[in-house]
């Protein structure tokens, strides 16, 4: 299992990005997700991983359906999920499916970076898990977004919270995801980041 990125969703992208920058997280523009009604900013976390801050894109019309990651229902920023990187998504899906941990079909995605480079990737979401079970992502032939991101922020710890940790133990084991999950009132994640300005905790 290779950690690809953390997803920090917000109803106010500009405000959240400004707040994180003030706290030392070196975010740079990522790009829009055409037809999804969202865009993102990214920060490198070291070891080829990154933080994605995603929210509504004011330059796009509202999408036909809800924005991903529950953005339309958020009242503030939240660490909603995480992704693990795989080199061959169809092959990677066979193991969790064989273990009766069902993921959805592979979904093709794309966005254009500010420098004009088009990124294409595919991903698959778990059937459940409340964000504690990661989704899978395959960057195919595209350059990985972590390449070239400003250094300075590192991920020190990532843990999960779930009312019944046993319910997510199977899917995590099927993915070889060594995530510590502790009991809590609702599913969630906590990430501890080290920045030049100090520690930032995202939940």
């Amino acid at each position: 299992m290779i950690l690809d990125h953390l997803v920090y969703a917000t109803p106010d992208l500009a405000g959240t990005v400004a707040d994180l920058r003030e706290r030392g997280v070196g975010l740079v523009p990522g790009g829009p997700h055409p037809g999804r009604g969202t865009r993102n900013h990214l920060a490198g976390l070291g070891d080829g991983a990154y933080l994605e801050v995603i929210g509504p894109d004011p330059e796009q019309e509202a999408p036909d359906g809800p924005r991903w990651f529950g953005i339309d229902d958020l009242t503030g920023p939240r660490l909603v999920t995480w992704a693990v990187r795989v080199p061959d998504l169809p092959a990677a899906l066979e193991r969790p499916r064989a273990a009766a941990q069902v993921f959805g079909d592979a979904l093709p995605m794309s966005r254009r970076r500010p420098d004009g480079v088009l990124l294409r990737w595919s991903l698959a979401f778990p059937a459940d898990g409340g964000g504690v079970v990661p989704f899978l992502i395959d960057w195919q032939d595209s350059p990985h977004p972590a390449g070239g991101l400003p250094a300075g922020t590192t991920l020190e710890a990532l843990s999960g919270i779930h009312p019944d940790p046993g319910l997510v133990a199977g899917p995590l084991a099927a993915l070889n995801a060594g995530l510590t999950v502790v009991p809590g009132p609702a599913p969630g994640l906590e990430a501890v980041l080290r920045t030049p300005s100090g520690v930032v905790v995202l939940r």
Side-chain angles (χ1 to χ4, degrees):
M1 189 210 76
I2 300 175
L3 171 65
D4 190 79
H5 68 278
L6 309 179
V7 181
Y8 195 54
T10 175
D12 176 11
L13 184 59
T16 299
V17 168
D19 174 67
L20 289 174
R21 283 176 173 163
E22 287 182 2
R23 298 162 68 188
V25 181
L27 289 160
V28 297
H33 304 108
R36 300 288 179 181
T38 57
R39 68 170 47 241
N40 62 20
H41 281 64
L42 311 177
L45 296 176
D47 295 327
Y50 67 96
L51 170 68
E52 175 184 25
V53 182
I54 183 171
D57 182 358
E59 298 182 8
Q60 290 189 56
E61 295 184 2
D64 293 336
R67 292 176 176 86
W68 280 5
F69 306 120
I71 287 172
D72 296 325
D73 298 323
L74 291 175
T75 58
R78 180 171 176 259
L79 188 60
V80 292
T81 190
W82 58 304
V84 295
R85 184 162 68 249
V86 296
D88 183 341
L89 185 56
L93 286 172
E94 288 304 314
R95 180 173 181 181
R97 283 175 176 160
Q101 313 299 341
V102 179
F103 279 69
D105 293 332
L107 302 172
M109 295 286 292
S110 67
R111 70 171 172 84
R112 194 170 294 277
R113 296 190 323 201
D115 62 3
V117 173
L118 180 65
L119 303 182
R120 297 182 185 275
W121 68 95
S122 57
L123 48 79
F125 289 103
D128 201 357
V132 178
V133 177
F135 65 93
L136 308 180
I137 189 163
D138 177 354
W139 287 100
Q140 302 166 2
D141 295 328
S142 292
H144 192 265
L149 291 177
T153 301
T154 56
L155 176 65
E156 291 205 339
L158 177 65
S159 58
I161 305 153
H162 199 280
D164 185 352
L167 291 179
V168 295
L172 290 171
L175 296 173
N176 285 331
L179 183 73
T180 298
V181 182
V182 299
L189 295 168
E190 179 179 282
V192 180
L193 310 183
R194 173 70 63 177
T195 81
S197 300
V199 172
V200 174
V201 179
L202 303 180
R203 298 184 176 91

